[in-house]
Amino acid sequence: MFGEWWNSDSEAVINQALQNGGGPNVSDAYTLNGFPGPLYNCSQKQNETLKLKVKAGKTYMLRLINAALNDELFFSIANHSVTVVEADALYVKPFKTNIVVIAPGQTTNILLKTKPHPPHSRFLMAARPYFTGTGTFDNTTTAGILEYYTTTTTTSKDHNAPVIRPTLPPINDTAYVANFTSKFRSLANEKFPITVPQTVDRSFFFTVGLGTNPCPKNQTCQGPNGTKFAASMNNVSFVLPNTSMLQSYFFKKSNGVFTADFPTSPLIKFNYTGTPPNNTMVMDGTKVAVLPFNASVEVVLQDTSILGAESHPLHLHGYNFFVVGQGFGNFDPKKDPAKYNLVDPQERNTMGVPSGGWVAIRFFADNPGVWFMHCHFEVHLSWGLKMAWIVEDGKLPNQRLPPPPADLPKC
């Protein structure tokens, strides 16, 4: 479990940032299963480092979860390669790698095949951020130690044994991230079949990125040029309502809660990954997009260069989706769909929109209800980089949104 150590109250950190309009303070350390590891001055004690003790000649499955708030991470075990077998709880065609990339909200299962004989060394398992934005970030490295049992019952007591460190990519190595994510493929076999939408009933094009809101009167703000930082999809910065959207939809009392007019494409077209427009202001709103039951849906998510191109891990509630295409620059609706993988695309629930690029996803809208789709960076989520889908009921009883349980606490 990749996480973070905060000396401050993380809720107070984001509340302060939302008040002053600037970027939030960053975490004080990353952690592996709660331990910062030996590379931090505050964590030099032996019991403050995760130790993974293994036997030679064995295969271990490691379940990786990125629970950090705002950072994608590179992860590597020194002098060992691993085999990726699963992503977001779905099997993938196995592939070997020395370095794993994992975004907040993502899970990845890897197989670690240990060396045939116990080596006279220990090995760091290290993680540090992948970052392409323009703000501040926690530029530190968390680590655990991989140790071999020297017999079937004991591990090496030699704390002087050399500790070998892995080599991780540069902080902003987008090329490595793109190469890594392109290796994921669904099994798509007889035992684990997939059903990829081959045609599209509803097509959407969403820009994702940062922006600004004006600074309130009689206040000094710390965002760009005295504004407040914001984030948006199709330039709509989502405002959470005071009433449950799911309940208001079910009871047909949506007036004053949300409107069903989320734009299917940007209202103003521009060179999304080129020179950004002078006007970076967003629109605030609580808008949803409505989908008929079982419609086949395609969404192209396009990063923008407004206030800096940046990777955005997009997460969809209530669904898995197929990643049918991705690339850099502006999406070309005439040329890029011809390169889609509709045979064995990766299926998952959280996918990084490439920095300065785009990703295309498809899914069947077969789960009725109200479902969020949002960036999994907590700061971008707080700034409004989210929207909601309403998936309408089908005709059969098991295709309809059930009523709230009788004991549901009132909001």
Side-chain angles (χ1 to χ4, degrees), residues 197-214:
Q198 300 294 311
T199 58
V200 174
D201 299 323
R202 294 287 190 275
S203 183
F204 299 85
F205 181 85
F206 292 170
T207 56
V208 294
L210 303 185
T212 55
N213 265 324

Side-chain angles (χ1 to χ4, degrees), residues 132-169:
T132 59
T134 55
T136 57
F137 65 101
D138 182 354
N139 188 11
T140 62
T141 304
T142 184
I145 295 178
L146 182 75
E147 293 182 342
Y148 278 74
Y149 286 100
T150 52
T151 68
T152 56
T153 57
T154 63
T155 51
S156 172
K157 302 296 185 188
D158 183 9
H159 293 300
N160 295 320
V163 178
I164 301 174
R165 296 181 63 160
T167 301
L168 292 168

Side-chain angles (χ1 to χ4, degrees), residues 107-128:
T107 65
T108 306
N109 287 3
I110 59 177
L111 299 181
L112 168 66
K113 191 171 184 179
T114 57
K115 298 183 182 298
H117 304 288
H120 298 291
S121 303
R122 296 179 294 162
F123 305 91
L124 275 193
M125 307 178 292
R128 80 168 182 211

Side-chain angles (χ1 to χ4, degrees), residues 188-248:
N189 57 24
E190 195 171 315
K191 189 175 180 181
F192 298 99
I194 60 173
T195 306
V196 185
Q198 300 294 311
T199 58
V200 174
D201 299 323
R202 294 287 190 275
S203 183
F204 299 85
F205 181 85
F206 292 170
T207 56
V208 294
L210 303 185
T212 55
N213 265 324
C215 189
K217 289 182 178 180
N218 303 319
Q219 183 180 334
T220 301
C221 293
Q222 298 177 13
N225 300 316
T227 62
K228 299 183 79 167
F229 269 114
S232 69
M233 301 179 72
N234 276 355
N235 209 45
V236 178
S237 187
F238 194 90
V239 178
L240 282 172
N242 294 319
T243 304
S244 161
M245 295 176 68
L246 185 61
Q247 281 180 254
S248 62

Side-chain angles (χ1 to χ4, degrees), residues 56-135:
K58 301 288 185 181
T59 300
Y60 293 83
M61 184 172 73
L62 309 182
R63 298 182 184 271
L64 309 180
I65 303 169
N66 187 348
L69 293 183
N70 296 316
D71 294 286
E72 297 178 72
L73 296 169
F74 294 116
F75 172 71
S76 184
I77 303 174
N79 281 19
H80 290 73
S81 63
V82 297
T83 302
V84 177
V85 294
E86 192 175 322
D88 290 354
L90 292 154
Y91 289 126
V92 299
K93 288 183 170 72
F95 65 92
K96 280 193 172 183
T97 185
N98 294 324
I99 301 161
V100 173
V101 183
I102 185 167
Q106 288 185 332
T107 65
T108 306
N109 287 3
I110 59 177
L111 299 181
L112 168 66
K113 191 171 184 179
T114 57
K115 298 183 182 298
H117 304 288
H120 298 291
S121 303
R122 296 179 294 162
F123 305 91
L124 275 193
M125 307 178 292
R128 80 168 182 211
Y130 159 62
F131 182 79
T132 59
T134 55

Side-chain angles (χ1 to χ4, degrees), residues 9 18 38 84 93 105 108-109 162 174 237 263 274 292 307 316 353 396:
D9 179 346
L18 293 176
V84 177
K93 288 183 170 72
T108 306
N109 287 3
T174 297
S237 187
L307 303 182
L316 174 60
V353 179
L396 301 178

Side-chain angles (χ1 to χ4, degrees), residues 259-273:
T259 56
D261 57 350
F262 190 88
T264 59
S265 61
L267 299 179
I268 299 175
K269 310 288 191 291
F270 60 97
N271 182 3
Y272 306 115
T273 55

